Amino acid sequence: MVKLTKIYTRTGDEGMTGLSDFSRTRKTDPRIEAYADVDEANSAIGVAIALAKNEFAPETISLLQQIQNDLFDLGADLSNPLNEHYEYPPLRMNPEWITNLEQSIDEYNKNLGKLDSFILPGGSGLAAGLHLARTVVRRAERATWHAIEAYGTEPAKQGHPNGGVNIDAAKYLNRLSDLLFVLARYANLKHGGDVKWEPRRGA
């Protein structure tokens, strides 16, 4: 269990921060941007959960809460460069979580009608909150791909300090954004359904 005894440390006052392997890097490092966006996505899902209390069944809320825990693990994964050898086994996400998200997508999507138009991110407060979380997750996915482009996906070898990034993190975020889209539509079922985009055809 992590114990935080001091909130501020002043160790980042010159634009540097620590990764989980105890190395130091710039706060603008693509790795940092990736797991910072994951943290923001987690917070957005927290807002959606607060809005879901009287809207979703307990099992759906539990699903979102489990995803919050998964995102914390995923952030820890992104903050720890891949290496061939570790002094202590690092916290890594489980690829099975991607399959679990796909199963949840299929389960909730079967209750929804077919899409015949693009939809707007609105409707109920919960649906809007889930759409907002979806867009933040999309940004986190893009940031993760930026990190992958910068560092690759291979473990660090002897004499090469910069290990790669776990590609499963990007895949998980992609599926999560799909699930949040489906859950936003699901949330609007009792509020009149999807809010459809109506393109303007001239002034």
Side-chain angles (χ1 to χ4, degrees):
M1 182 63 68
V2 176
K3 294 183 179 179
L4 301 177
T5 57
K6 192 173 181 64
I7 300 303
Y8 64 90
T9 62
R10 298 177 179 154
T11 58
D13 287 353
E14 295 182 357
M16 302 291 289
T17 190
L19 295 172
S20 293
D21 64 355
F22 303 109
S23 63
R24 303 285 291 175
T25 191
R26 301 297 304 177
K27 289 189 176 183
T28 52
D29 187 307
R31 292 187 207 272
I32 308 301
E33 299 207 2
Y35 70 74
D37 284 353
V38 168
D39 183 31
E40 185 178 347
N42 206 337
S43 297
I45 291 173
V47 173
I49 290 173
L51 294 169
K53 296 300 183 183
N54 297 316
E55 295 281 334
F56 276 166
E59 58 268 23
T60 309
I61 294 175
S62 293
L63 170 63
L64 289 170
Q65 290 171 332
Q66 182 59 59
I67 288 168
Q68 282 196 299
N69 278 275
D70 292 348
L71 286 176
F72 221 94
D73 289 350
L74 188 146
D77 191 329
L78 290 171
S79 75
N80 201 331
L82 297 176
N83 207 313
E84 287 187 331
H85 305 287
Y86 303 96
E87 184 176 356
Y88 301 102
L91 185 59
R92 297 287 181 205
M93 62 161 293
N94 189 329
E96 290 182 5
W97 301 347
I98 299 169
T99 302
N100 293 340
L101 290 180
E102 291 173 344
Q103 291 171 346
S104 294
I105 291 168
D106 292 340
E107 180 66 25
Y108 285 94
N109 195 52
K110 71 183 182 183
N111 298 303
L112 305 174
K114 292 184 178 180
L115 281 171
D116 56 7
S117 171
F118 291 107
I119 64 174
L120 300 179
S124 69
L126 172 57
L130 288 164
H131 275 300
L132 180 60
R134 170 184 61 81
T135 61
V136 179
V137 169
R138 281 291 191 193
R139 172 153 45 85
E141 181 195 354
R142 292 193 299 273
T144 300
W145 282 112
H146 285 154
I148 289 171
E149 288 174 0
Y151 293 107
T153 58
E154 296 299 320
K157 294 182 171 55
Q158 191 72 25
H160 295 275
N162 292 324
V165 177
N166 186 355
I167 196 170
D168 284 331
K171 295 178 183 178
Y172 178 93
L173 292 168
N174 178 271
R175 302 307 191 281
L176 177 56
S177 65
D178 290 338
L179 175 59
L180 293 171
F181 175 79
V182 168
L183 287 177
R185 294 191 67 207
Y186 183 74
N188 269 338
L189 278 179
K190 62 169 86 170
H191 296 280
D194 298 322
V195 181
K196 296 184 178 180
W197 170 55
E198 298 179 3
R200 296 178 65 173
R201 303 187 185 280

